[in-house]
């Protein structure tokens, strides 16, 4: 798979820097758009192949929603689905309109409203320690204790995150946010500001290609949840771009406006491609192309 990933990167290189880095979070607009990195971990052998700026840390943004979902599912099991739905939204990740029609229940746990709910569930359980719990969960999954959040990105999100405050207060009016909104959003913004490399993320997603066991064989979640998290990534993991992602890439993916796209294929591999310039839906242009070429060259996709 090393050769095919290398070749996919070559085929996508002309797209590097095309698209736009996210600017609605001011701190993210400073990121140099032409950078990239990629990492793949092969199932069973655990062989790891890395490309580009492999040590470069970037803001994981919405990829963090995968981790809060996993912890919330472990906590509430099927009761989670009383607090969020599991259908694609067909709307931007920070859209407000659907929430009123649907009485404060987000369409899915991967749009902002849904991730604010999964964060609220963790705040209910861990109070002020919720962020520490999420961070240590991610550190364990990636096998890297030095992972942390970026204070400047966190402050930047907090001072400009008016839509997220609107979403949280709106859901609170429907009693779907139980904790103090400031605590929930502080936890959410810090979680989005966590800095990781492609290799960290490929390692952290390994449990999704390995029946719920992490890279060291520890149980992250059960196989039923693992199947369902993969299904949710496929149907909701790349915002209102999921149809295009399923069509072109054919893998369950989770993306973030920091430019990462992370994917897993059961019993085959976990993979992360990062490059910060995004398409109009908020997904890395280069990342989409690399993954599309990779599943074509290897024939290893979900379909
Ligand atoms: N922190 C970002 C936000 O709340 C995450 C969005 C994303 O990556 N799609 O708007």
């Amino acid at each position: 798979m090393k050769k095919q990933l290398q070749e996919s990167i070559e085929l996508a290189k002309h797209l590097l820097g095309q698209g736009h880095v996210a600017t609605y979070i001011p701190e993210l607009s400073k990121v140099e758009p032409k950078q990239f990195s990629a990492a793949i971990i092969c199932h069973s052998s655990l062989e790891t192949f890395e490309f580009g700026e492999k040590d470069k840390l970037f803001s994981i943004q919405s990829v963090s929603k995968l981790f809060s979902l996993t912890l919330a599912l472990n906590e509430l099991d099927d009761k989670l689905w009383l607090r969020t739905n599991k259908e694609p939204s067909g709307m931007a990740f920070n859209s407000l309109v659907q929430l009123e029609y649907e009485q404060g229940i987000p369409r899915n746990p991967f749009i902002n409203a849904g991730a604010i709910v999964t964060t609220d569930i963790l705040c209910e359980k861990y109070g002020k320690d919720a962020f520490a719990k999420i961070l240590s969960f991610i550190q364990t999954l990636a096998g890297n204790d030095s992972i942390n959040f970026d204070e400047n990105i966190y402050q930047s999100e907090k001072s400009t995150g008016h839509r997220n405050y609107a979403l949280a207060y709106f859901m609170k009016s429907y009693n779907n946010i139980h904790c103090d909104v400031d605590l929930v959003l502080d936890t959410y913004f810090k979680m989005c500001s966590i800095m990781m490399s492609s290799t960290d993320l490929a390692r952290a997603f390994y449990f999704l290609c390995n029946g719920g066991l992490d890279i060291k064989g520890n149980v992250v979640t059960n196989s039923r949840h693992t199947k369902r998290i993969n299904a949710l990534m496929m149907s909701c993991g790349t915002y209102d771009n999921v149809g295009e992602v399923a069509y072109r890439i054919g893998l369950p993916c989770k993306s973030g406006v920091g430019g990462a796209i992370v994917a897993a294929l059961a019993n085959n591999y976990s993979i992360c491609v990062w490059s910060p310039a995004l398409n109009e839906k908020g997904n890395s242009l280069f990342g989409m192309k690399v993954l599309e070429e990779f599943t074509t060259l290897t024939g290893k996709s979900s379909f």
Side-chain angles (χ1 to χ4, degrees):
M1 290 198 273
K2 180 182 180 184
K3 196 170 137 272
Q4 289 97 331
L5 184 51
Q6 168 98 64
E7 205 175 322
S8 307
I9 289 169
E10 290 310 320
L11 288 168
K13 269 205 168 138
H14 65 284
L15 291 177
L16 269 181
Q18 285 188 34
H20 300 282
V21 297
T23 50
Y24 77 100
I25 300 170
E27 203 58 27
L28 290 184
S29 68
K30 300 178 184 166
V31 178
E32 155 60 48
K34 280 194 173 160
Q35 309 174 87
F36 84 94
S37 64
I40 184 165
I41 303 179
C42 307
H43 187 253
S44 307
S45 75
L46 297 184
E47 268 185 304
T48 303
F49 304 114
E50 301 168 301
F51 299 90
E53 296 187 58
K54 63 188 182 62
D55 299 322
K56 181 83 188 177
L57 303 182
F58 49 80
S59 172
I60 67 171
Q61 290 297 319
S62 277
V63 177
S64 63
K65 294 170 178 166
L66 187 288
F67 304 117
S68 60
L69 168 66
T70 305
L71 287 170
L73 256 183
N74 281 352
E75 204 47 50
L76 292 191
D77 211 323
D78 282 347
K79 290 203 185 79
L80 175 63
W81 308 118
L82 300 171
R83 304 276 307 271
T84 171
N85 287 317
K86 41 180 141 45
E87 294 294 339
S89 70
M91 305 254 173
F93 56 81
N94 55 5
S95 169
L96 281 146
V97 289
Q98 231 160 22
L99 264 185
E100 180 153 31
Y101 289 121
E102 300 182 2
Q103 275 91 52
I105 306 292
R107 262 297 165 99
N108 67 65
F110 289 148
I111 52 173
N112 289 12
I116 292 169
V117 166
T118 56
T119 306
D120 181 60
I121 289 163
L122 300 177
C123 289
E124 245 184 309
K125 164 105 181 161
Y126 300 107
K128 287 194 167 58
D129 296 330
F131 175 68
K133 179 75 189 170
I134 296 165
L135 181 62
S136 99
F137 178 61
I138 293 173
Q139 289 173 337
T140 306
L141 287 182
N144 180 356
D145 287 347
S146 71
I147 293 169
N148 211 334
F149 74 105
D150 182 287
E151 180 69 30
N152 292 334
I153 296 176
Y154 160 63
Q155 292 295 350
S156 185
E157 288 217 45
K158 190 175 154 93
S159 58
T160 56
H162 313 301
R163 291 185 78 93
N164 288 323
Y165 283 98
L167 289 166
Y169 279 114
F170 194 71
M171 290 190 289
K172 199 163 178 68
S173 77
Y174 284 100
N175 201 25
N176 198 21
I177 292 295
H178 299 172
C179 298
D180 176 58
V181 165
D182 285 320
L183 170 67
V184 176
L185 286 183
D186 270 1
T187 308
Y188 171 82
F189 292 137
K190 280 187 183 159
M191 166 177 116
C192 291
S193 310
I194 288 175
M195 304 296 285
M196 294 170 77
S197 68
S198 280
T199 308
D200 287 331
L201 278 176
R203 290 176 70 95
F205 269 53
Y206 183 82
F207 77 96
L208 293 166
C209 76
N210 192 38
L213 306 184
D214 72 10
I215 209 154
K216 293 191 174 144
N218 300 314
V219 178
V220 177
T221 192
N222 62 38
S223 56
R224 186 161 148 265
H225 286 161
T226 305
K227 181 184 79 176
R228 291 174 165 183
I229 296 166
N230 273 307
L232 286 161
M233 286 206 290
M234 183 66 90
S235 57
C236 314
T238 47
Y239 325 122
D240 46 339
N241 217 186
V242 284
E244 181 85 4
V245 170
Y247 182 82
R248 283 175 46 194
I249 300 173
L251 290 173
C253 296
K254 186 72 207 83
S255 58
V257 294
I261 307 182
V262 201
L265 182 62
N267 302 315
N268 273 278
Y269 57 84
S270 58
I271 188 167
C272 174
V273 183
W274 167 72
S275 190
L278 310 175
N279 67 14
E280 70 289 352
K281 307 280 189 183
N283 294 315
S284 170
L285 254 177
F286 175 80
M288 295 254 303
K289 180 71 173 163
V290 171
L291 290 170
E292 176 181 8
E293 296 294 349
F294 181 74
T295 52
T296 304
L297 289 171
T298 56
K300 287 182 187 294
S301 77
S302 302
F303 302 108

